[in-house]
Amino acid sequence: SQQGEEDPQALSIQEGENATMNCSYKTSINNLQWYRQNSGRGLVHLILIRSNEREKHSGRLRVTLDTSKKSSSLLITASRAADTASYFCATVSNTGTASKLTFGTGTRLQVTL
Amino acid sequence: GAVVSQHPSWVICKSGTSVKIECRSLDFQATTMFWYRQFPKQSLMLMATSNEGSKATYEQGVEKDKFLINHASLTLSTLTVTSAHPEDSSFYICRTPGLGDNEQFFGPGTRLTVL
């Protein structure tokens, strides 16, 4: 399987704390994306980092990418209860046609008041 | 951005029946559609890739005769779960890529429960 691994599988923090999720993958990639999924709902695209980038920011999100270690991390700062969701990394390999997304195993984040 | 709709949003059926899930791109020509399955508390697993006007490509371990995919037009792709069994109960999501890597249009998903 080409699926990436994420850790932790589950994370419970209090509002205001930072949450860090890690993703490891196996193959060479074009870019890596992070998604959020609220329970039983569709996916929301959060951020994309290209293979030649090392760090990217978007609001309270910070993503790093280490292609030598085939790993990425997502940091959510100053978490809020509304951040409670599952977070997935997804890698994009250049298949020559439409981009194929391969999802990681996901991290379930619970932010409590 | 483009909107992708799925119908139905949820369905409950008896074992042995067939269920058709529709995925429509409302304002975008979806040349390619990816179909995913997600079991509870698990990740999305790619089932198949369909291209408009041609046969779908199935991932290893996915039965093409059980999961029939039709992509007859640029705005509609369908997934039919034939002779559904309780183990087919899952969340099914379609996705069509946009013009760039940043553009990924997901359907809202269909929750299938087979009794």
Side-chain angles (χ1 to χ4, degrees):
Chain A
S1 169
Q2 300 296 311
Q3 191 175 47
E5 297 283 330
E6 288 183 60
D7 78 274
Q9 289 187 349
L11 178 61
S12 183
I13 59 174
Q14 289 192 320
E15 201 170 49
E17 295 181 335
N18 296 341
T20 299
M21 290 158 261
N22 302 295
C23 166
S24 60
Y25 56 92
K26 298 176 183 176
T27 62
S28 297
I29 61 170
N30 226 349
N31 63 70
L32 186 145
Q33 303 176 27
W34 284 89
Y35 288 83
R36 183 183 70 216
Q37 184 184 34
N38 289 82
S39 181
R41 307 290 293 273
L43 279 83
V44 175
H45 180 269
L46 294 177
I47 194 167
L48 177 151
I49 186 165
R50 301 195 183 281
S51 59
N52 61 351
E53 296 177 311
R54 293 294 168 261
E55 188 172 311
K56 203 160 183 181
H57 297 254
S58 177
R60 293 186 296 113
L61 305 180
R62 173 177 169 255
V63 169
T64 63
L65 178 64
D66 187 334
T67 52
S68 65
K69 295 181 179 178
K70 290 187 167 60
S71 67
S72 174
S73 68
L74 171 67
L75 168 68
I76 302 174
T77 60
S79 63
R80 305 167 182 168
D83 294 329
T84 295
S86 290
Y87 291 82
F88 296 92
C89 66
T91 54
V92 176
S93 304
N94 189 357
T95 64
T97 55
S99 50
K100 189 173 180 178
L101 279 181
T102 303
F103 286 87
T105 51
T107 294
R108 292 191 304 280
L109 173 65
Q110 176 77 42
V111 182
T112 56
L113 295 173
Chain B
V3 176
V4 176
S5 68
Q6 270 186 252
H7 177 80
S9 55
W10 59 270
V11 56
I12 301 173
C13 69
K14 292 182 179 180
S15 188
T17 60
S18 294
V19 175
K20 180 186 281 188
I21 300 169
E22 294 184 349
C23 183
R24 292 182 185 273
S25 66
L26 302 181
D27 55 357
F28 185 78
Q29 291 189 331
T31 308
T32 302
M33 193 70 74
F34 297 92
W35 284 94
Y36 294 84
R37 177 170 54 183
Q38 184 181 31
F39 293 110
K41 296 186 179 180
Q42 294 190 26
S43 186
L44 281 76
M45 296 298 293
L46 181 64
M47 299 175 66
T49 304
S50 71
N51 290 294
E52 185 264 336
S54 62
K55 289 185 178 180
T57 303
Y58 290 80
E59 296 298 302
Q60 196 171 15
V62 178
E63 300 174 56
K64 63 178 182 179
D65 294 329
K66 179 170 180 63
F67 299 99
L68 302 178
I69 291 175
N70 185 286
H71 195 158
S73 79
L74 290 172
T75 59
L76 176 64
S77 177
T78 62
L79 166 67
T80 301
V81 183
T82 62
S83 187
H85 291 285
E87 56 265 31
D88 297 324
S89 297
S90 188
F91 194 54
Y92 292 86
I93 303 173
C94 61
R95 170 182 77 91
T96 185
L99 297 176
D101 289 330
N102 258 327
E103 291 190 320
Q104 301 292 343
F105 305 119
F106 285 87
T110 296
R111 171 79 56 198
L112 170 63
T113 302
V114 184
L115 303 177

